[in-house]
Amino acid sequence: MGERLDIHNSETPVLCRSCEARHRGMCGALKPDELIEFARHTRKERHEHGDELIGDSTAIHAYANVMRGVIKLSKVLEDGRQQLVGLQFAPDFLGRLFGRESVVTAEAASAVDLCVIPRPALEQMMASTPALEHRLMQQTLRELDEARDWMVTLGRKTAQEKVASFLYLIAMHADPAAEPVDGVSFELPLSRSDIADFLGLTIETVSRQLTKLRQAGVVRITNNRTVEVPELEALQGLCG
Amino acid sequence: MGERLDIHNSETPVLCRSCEARHRGMCGALKPDELIEFARHTRKERHEHGDELIGDSTAIHAYANVMRGVIKLSKVLEDGRQQLVGLQFAPDFLGRLFGRESVVTAEAASAVDLCVIPRPALEQMMASTPALEHRLMQQTLRELDEARDWMVTLGRKTAQEKVASFLYLIAMHADPAAEPVDGVSFELPLSRSDIADFLGLTIETVSRQLTKLRQAGVVRITNNRTVEVPELEALQGLCG
DNA sequence: CGTTTATTTGACGCGGTTCAATCAGTGTGG
DNA sequence: CCACACTGATTGAACCGCGTCAAATAAACG
């Protein structure tokens, strides 16, 4: 009898309870019973640093929610020049909605946990649940805003300002509540090479600018990846 | 009696009949009676080249559809450096949905006709007409794709490739059906200064690269604004 | 036709790339 | 445990593409 009750129970699925996307991500748009229906179609996937999650020009069979880790979206020119065009953190949505095939490559920048849902399942659900499409619309609009900010960085900032802007971006992501006067410390989710591809620079230039920032006392860097910013304000002032 | 019938008539509103947005734009998502309701809230606006349509950091009271002309979206840094972050043509949608205030400046790059709808009217309509939100979602996703393509241009292409890419972009917009082997001719919607801000270059560099392209026989330019491309393939080959 | 603004062209310098060498961290096998 | 290789990051030196500054030319406008 306990079991029979469970079937019609509207409790949050176990796996969703501890999921960030449950509230801040797209699943926040779902009512309890919708969430249960949703969870019936999803599967969890764990990926290692460096795994290619979606290849450029590959068919789109599934979408996903980022539950943990960082994902980089990139594009390459025929001759190999590469540019990052997006960075995704939990609880972002991953995948080009309604696209025939992907126009970017998605790669795990760290260990990553995904909550994967097949394309037809999500699209059906979106069609019947306007709130879900609305939530994804909000995320898409936010991504567009970010892309445009980034375009200013790529087109108009100096190498110094680019690197400062990148550090500031990551710092704010590590601690969204941080005040300008605060100090923060965090791990860089990207290698020098990735940072260069993010900023439209070479690794050498990135490295040189980082040493300048270090010498200026704006940041402290240990083990290549750990960054400490004594006061965000100083960093912000260098962002152009 | 004829008049009474008209009231409940489901004919397309007169002003919408010749509008591009009616089919390709957001209004294509509306059924005839919805279109009538929609049209009750809209007003047509005509703007001159150079008019500021939306200011950075201004409250968003209305959205609009571009019926004619070209609009440039831009951002500026405190010290005046400027970067275009979007170009909009008919029948694109104008305005940051659900945003509190604009994060870009929108300026008419040519004479422009807008179909303006107050913010509450559109948002109510979106809430009750999922197809409308879906259509706008599609446009937003397309804009995001374009922004990311552009990021590659800004971050990784040479001045030569940037200018070629820009000309190619405009050429394809002037004649979307054009084949690579075809030739096309069109008017540039932007000044050299705007093109520079679009590509993250200076006007001098833009000018020099245009002369190079002219000397190479890839384009012919008359009156500073009229461009003729004998074969698109040659131009495309220079886009990197 | 004169004035103003937009574009082109030229000369020069600098910021960032390129090429190359060094250094640091990490794993591997003897 | 150390020598070795390997990968990622830093540093240095030389080069060059693009920006800067300045002047000439062309187009737009009254």
Side-chain angles (χ1 to χ4, degrees):
Chain A
M1 183 157 156
E3 276 175 82
R4 236 188 278 160
L5 272 178
D6 282 351
I7 293 172
H8 298 101
N9 194 338
S10 286
E11 291 291 313
T12 304
V14 178
L15 279 167
C16 298
R17 278 183 208 156
S18 63
C19 175
E20 270 202 280
R22 171 70 192 93
H23 295 105
R24 299 197 297 121
M26 69 163 157
C27 301
L30 300 175
K31 293 194 281 283
D33 54 331
E34 292 167 342
L35 186 63
I36 291 172
E37 168 63 12
F38 184 89
R40 289 202 322 114
H41 298 284
T42 63
R43 66 174 188 277
K44 307 293 172 271
E45 279 186 12
R46 173 153 297 190
H47 292 275
E48 296 307 315
H49 158 92
D51 285 6
E52 180 170 303
L53 307 176
I54 308 172
D56 190 5
S57 311
T58 59
I60 299 173
H61 297 117
Y63 303 117
N65 235 306
V66 183
M67 299 171 63
R68 183 180 63 99
V70 181
I71 291 168
K72 40 183 214 199
L73 307 180
S74 65
K75 286 174 169 261
V76 287
L77 298 174
E78 282 106 9
D79 63 3
R81 279 175 289 175
Q82 185 165 151
Q83 175 67 50
L84 296 207
V85 296
L87 268 190
Q88 308 208 272
F89 303 83
D92 289 347
F93 175 83
L94 177 65
R96 170 55 162 87
L97 279 167
F98 314 122
R100 283 192 53 264
E101 53 180 40
S102 181
V103 291
V104 302
T105 302
E107 187 185 326
S110 66
V112 163
D113 288 342
L114 296 180
C115 181
V116 180
I117 181 166
R119 175 172 177 156
L122 181 65
E123 291 183 0
Q124 270 174 248
M125 196 122 195
M126 283 176 68
S128 62
T129 316
L132 182 58
E133 176 149 22
H134 184 72
R135 182 66 75 113
L136 290 169
M137 173 71 139
Q138 298 276 13
Q139 149 130 11
T140 306
L141 287 165
R142 209 177 328 118
E143 279 184 47
L144 185 56
D145 288 342
E146 286 167 13
R148 286 175 170 166
D149 274 336
W150 199 332
M151 286 170 66
V152 178
T153 302
L154 286 171
R156 288 304 185 197
K157 292 190 185 176
T158 65
Q160 175 85 229
E161 292 167 337
K162 284 182 177 181
V163 172
S165 301
F166 169 72
L167 292 177
Y168 190 74
L169 176 80
I170 302 296
M172 290 315 260
H173 241 289
D175 184 358
E179 293 293 318
V181 292
D182 291 350
V184 291
S185 94
F186 50 90
E187 294 285 305
L188 287 181
L190 301 183
S191 69
R192 298 291 185 274
S193 173
D194 289 334
I195 298 173
D197 287 343
F198 184 103
L199 297 172
L201 298 169
T202 59
I203 50 176
E204 293 94 334
T205 301
V206 171
S207 181
R208 278 186 252 270
Q209 297 304 333
L210 283 175
T211 30
K212 274 196 190 177
L213 290 175
R214 203 183 321 124
Q215 286 166 353
V218 181
V219 298
R220 278 171 27 85
I221 304 178
T222 46
N223 292 337
N224 285 340
R225 290 279 188 135
T226 311
V227 178
E228 211 183 310
V229 184
E231 44 174 341
L232 274 173
E233 216 162 17
L235 186 61
Q236 194 186 18
L238 295 172
C239 291
Chain B
M1 183 161 159
E3 276 175 80
R4 236 187 279 161
L5 271 177
D6 282 351
I7 294 172
H8 298 100
N9 195 338
S10 287
E11 290 291 313
T12 304
V14 179
L15 279 167
C16 299
R17 279 183 207 155
S18 63
C19 174
E20 271 201 282
R22 171 72 192 93
H23 295 104
R24 298 197 297 122
M26 68 162 158
C27 301
L30 300 175
K31 293 194 282 282
D33 54 331
E34 292 168 342
L35 186 63
I36 290 172
E37 169 63 13
F38 185 88
R40 287 201 325 114
H41 298 284
T42 64
R43 66 174 186 277
K44 309 292 173 269
E45 278 186 13
R46 172 154 298 188
H47 291 275
E48 295 308 313
H49 158 91
D51 284 7
E52 180 170 302
L53 307 176
I54 307 173
D56 190 5
S57 313
T58 59
I60 299 173
H61 298 118
Y63 303 116
N65 236 304
V66 183
M67 299 171 65
R68 184 179 64 98
V70 181
I71 291 168
K72 39 182 216 201
L73 307 181
S74 64
K75 284 175 169 259
V76 287
L77 299 174
E78 282 106 11
D79 63 2
R81 280 174 289 175
Q82 186 164 154
Q83 175 68 51
L84 295 207
V85 296
L87 267 190
Q88 308 207 273
F89 303 83
D92 288 347
F93 175 84
L94 177 65
R96 169 56 160 87
L97 280 167
F98 315 120
R100 282 191 55 265
E101 53 181 39
S102 181
V103 292
V104 302
T105 301
E107 186 185 328
S110 65
V112 163
D113 288 343
L114 296 181
C115 181
V116 179
I117 181 167
R119 177 173 174 155
L122 181 65
E123 291 184 0
Q124 269 175 249
M125 196 121 195
M126 282 177 70
S128 63
T129 316
L132 182 57
E133 177 149 21
H134 184 72
R135 183 66 75 113
L136 289 169
M137 173 72 138
Q138 297 276 15
Q139 150 132 10
T140 306
L141 287 165
R142 209 177 326 117
E143 279 184 47
L144 185 56
D145 288 343
E146 285 166 15
R148 287 175 168 166
D149 274 337
W150 198 334
M151 286 171 66
V152 178
T153 301
L154 286 171
R156 287 305 185 196
K157 292 189 186 176
T158 65
Q160 175 85 230
E161 291 166 338
K162 283 181 178 180
V163 172
S165 300
F166 168 73
L167 292 176
Y168 190 74
L169 175 80
I170 301 298
M172 290 315 260
H173 240 289
D175 183 358
E179 295 292 319
V181 291
D182 291 350
V184 291
S185 95
F186 50 90
E187 293 286 306
L188 287 181
L190 301 184
S191 69
R192 297 293 186 273
S193 172
D194 289 333
I195 299 173
D197 286 343
F198 184 103
L199 297 172
L201 298 170
T202 60
I203 49 176
E204 293 94 332
T205 301
V206 171
S207 180
R208 277 186 253 272
Q209 296 303 335
L210 284 173
T211 352
K212 276 195 189 178
L213 290 175
R214 204 183 321 125
Q215 286 166 352
V218 180
V219 299
R220 278 170 29 83
I221 303 178
T222 47
N223 290 338
N224 285 342
R225 289 281 187 132
T226 310
V227 178
E228 211 181 311
V229 185
E231 43 174 342
L232 275 172
E233 217 161 17
L235 186 61
Q236 194 185 18
L238 296 172
C239 292

